[in-house]
Amino acid sequence: MTGAKEHTGDYAHLAPLFGELAALPESDPKRAELRETLVTEHLPLAQHIAARFGNRGEPRDDLTQVATVGLINAVDRFDPERGSDFLSFAVPTIMGEVRRHFRDTSWSVRVPRRLKELHLSVSAASAELSQRLGRAPKPSEIAEHLGMTKEQVYEGLEASAAYHSVSLDEVRGGADDEVTPLRDRIGEEDPALEGVEYHESLEPLVRELPERERHILALRFFRNMTQTQIAERIGISQMHVSRLLSRTLERLRRRLQDEQNP
Amino acid sequence: MGDPESTLTEEAELVDQVELRLGAQLEHLSVVRAVAAHIAMGADFDIDAIADLKLAVDEVCTDLIVRAVPGSAMDCVFRLSPDRIEACVRVTSHNDDLPKRDSFGWTVLTTLTDSVSTRLESVDGHYVIQVDIAKNRTATT
């Protein structure tokens, strides 16, 4: 992480802004402005981390985009009261985001570049539209937004089926020695699962799930949040939530069946 | 078509309906899932509803395939009306036990859909188990 440290000095002047941001009430319009400044000014950090992960078969633009999402998450979650400085919080957060991108979104089959790009644009448009509309968009709305036909949108939505389904437990080589910030955020006791009455056979199986899957499962089936709401809460795309849920349910079903017919 | 014993619906009723008959095999799940997704996309349901219907169909079919007589068929009927999509899935089973309402699978189905019901019929020493689900179009005001 020496690369990131070289830049520490460049960001020092931004540190007081976090205190200002934290001091502002939720409703203050200045919050958005400050948040944007913090994100924009820290962008080189995200780009720097994206560059480190370059040349691994993922287009640089995607990586920069993913790293920027990580940066935004870091800005939103950073608590200056905790005493640590922003960079030591942000770097692992951004790296975690990029690493998850590699783990979760590598394509299992050779998917044409056009289809990948279609999938990414549909995914990005969905996120933007849900934000704007305050609800999940319809394919027709995505089509209109992107200036595409509905058929192209279908194709983009369906392309996610070609994504690699690797378990998040599987650790790929590379930068895996860093902390996964998600682990810290969610921890062993998932707040979304508090007060949930478990079916007896289910509890041990849910406990075996990776944190993020467990959290998503809890939010969808015990907290009754929509996939779009979950996507926003966790900071990943709705399509990604969809994939993870589908995989988790399949895994639980399989395990429940194994228990019933040993 | 051409089969006098066919239990498929009369053509006149097929206008907004898609029927699938496939072997009750887990390998065919992706076909049913894709059909469900395409019907929901074609009806311009929002992306959450599309994903929910897909997951629900997956859940119903997996559950029924496991109960089905080996080598038998699974029938799926999708009905489209302006505000909802109904899916009815049916298999033949040796047993008369229906999906349990206190199971996690049931929780999944009731969360993902707007209505779930089960039916059991005894036919020639076998049982026909049917699960009906319906997903409403999300109100967009």
Side-chain angles (χ1 to χ4, degrees), chain B residues 10-114:
Chain B
E10 294 299 320
E11 266 177 75
E13 295 172 29
L14 278 172
V15 178
D16 289 311
Q17 189 157 316
V18 175
E19 298 189 346
L20 283 180
R21 165 165 256 229
L22 10 75
Q25 310 269 357
L26 291 171
E27 291 73 34
H28 296 323
L29 266 179
S30 58
V31 176
V32 190
R33 209 163 34 210
V35 169
H38 271 264
I39 291 174
M41 287 191 290
D44 209 24
F45 274 41
D46 70 51
I47 56 171
D48 280 340
I50 296 169
D52 283 350
L53 182 69
K54 230 165 107 176
L55 284 178
V57 163
D58 219 16
E59 184 67 36
V60 170
C61 292
T62 315
D63 186 74
L64 289 181
I65 287 169
V66 173
R67 293 165 196 275
V69 174
S72 67
M74 174 168 71
D75 288 304
C76 311
V77 177
F78 294 95
R79 256 178 238 113
L80 180 64
S81 58
D83 291 315
R84 66 170 17 193
I85 294 172
E86 290 166 18
C88 309
V89 186
R90 194 165 44 177
V91 294
T92 304
S93 173
H94 287 311
N95 300 308
D96 64 349
D97 51 328
L98 289 165
K100 292 193 180 50
R101 284 171 194 241
D102 61 352
S103 65
F104 177 64
W106 193 266
T107 307
V108 167
L109 281 184
T110 50
T111 308
L112 295 173
T113 64
D114 295 288

Side-chain angles (χ1 to χ4, degrees), chain A residues 126 135-140 150 154 157-158 199 202 220-221 224 226-228 238 242 246 249 252-253 257, chain B residues 37-38 41-42 44-48 50-52 54-55 58-59 62 66 102-104 107-108 111-112 140:
Chain A
S126 304
R135 57 164 172 83
K138 300 187 249 180
S140 61
K150 270 177 74 176
Y154 297 166
L157 284 169
E158 286 295 278
H199 305 281
L202 191 66
R220 183 70 192 92
F221 294 108
N224 214 358
T226 66
Q227 291 194 5
T228 299
Q238 180 270 349
S242 184
S246 163
L249 288 179
L252 287 178
R253 266 197 301 261
Q257 268 161 25
Chain B
H38 271 264
M41 287 191 290
D44 209 24
F45 274 41
D46 70 51
I47 56 171
D48 280 340
I50 296 169
D52 283 350
K54 230 165 107 176
L55 284 178
D58 219 16
E59 184 67 36
T62 315
V66 173
D102 61 352
S103 65
F104 177 64
T107 307
V108 167
T111 308
L112 295 173
T140 52

Side-chain angles (χ1 to χ4, degrees), chain A residues 140-174:
Chain A
S140 61
E141 291 164 333
I142 300 171
E144 193 183 337
H145 182 76
L146 292 171
M148 283 179 180
T149 64
K150 270 177 74 176
E151 282 66 31
Q152 285 172 305
V153 173
Y154 297 166
E155 234 186 315
L157 284 169
E158 286 295 278
S160 71
Y163 268 121
H164 206 348
S165 320
V166 287
S167 158
L168 289 181
D169 293 336
E170 277 176 50
V171 174
R172 296 273 178 90

Side-chain angles (χ1 to χ4, degrees), chain A residues 105-228:
Chain A
T105 67
S106 50
W107 297 83
S108 57
V109 284
R110 188 94 188 105
V111 175
R113 188 172 169 80
R114 184 192 69 86
L115 203 53
K116 279 193 209 178
E117 284 172 355
L118 191 58
H119 175 76
L120 288 170
S121 353
V122 168
S123 183
S126 304
E128 200 185 324
L129 287 171
S130 0
Q131 193 97 58
R132 193 193 301 165
L133 300 168
R135 57 164 172 83
K138 300 187 249 180
S140 61
E141 291 164 333
I142 300 171
E144 193 183 337
H145 182 76
L146 292 171
M148 283 179 180
T149 64
K150 270 177 74 176
E151 282 66 31
Q152 285 172 305
V153 173
Y154 297 166
E155 234 186 315
L157 284 169
E158 286 295 278
S160 71
Y163 268 121
H164 206 348
S165 320
V166 287
S167 158
L168 289 181
D169 293 336
E170 277 176 50
V171 174
R172 296 273 178 90
D176 276 303
D177 46 339
E178 291 107 21
V179 205
T180 304
L182 191 81
R183 202 170 281 270
D184 300 338
R185 283 207 313 278
I186 294 175
E188 270 310 299
E189 292 302 318
D190 193 320
L193 282 170
E194 265 171 36
V196 164
E197 275 188 57
Y198 274 116
H199 305 281
E200 229 172 281
S201 51
L202 191 66
E203 189 181 355
L205 303 185
V206 170
R207 227 186 287 128
E208 282 173 19
L209 293 172
E211 280 99 341
R212 183 161 54 153
E213 268 88 334
R214 191 171 55 200
H215 192 53
I216 293 175
L217 185 84
L219 294 175
R220 183 70 192 92
F221 294 108
F222 301 111
R223 290 289 170 262
N224 214 358
M225 285 171 69
T226 66
Q227 291 194 5
T228 299

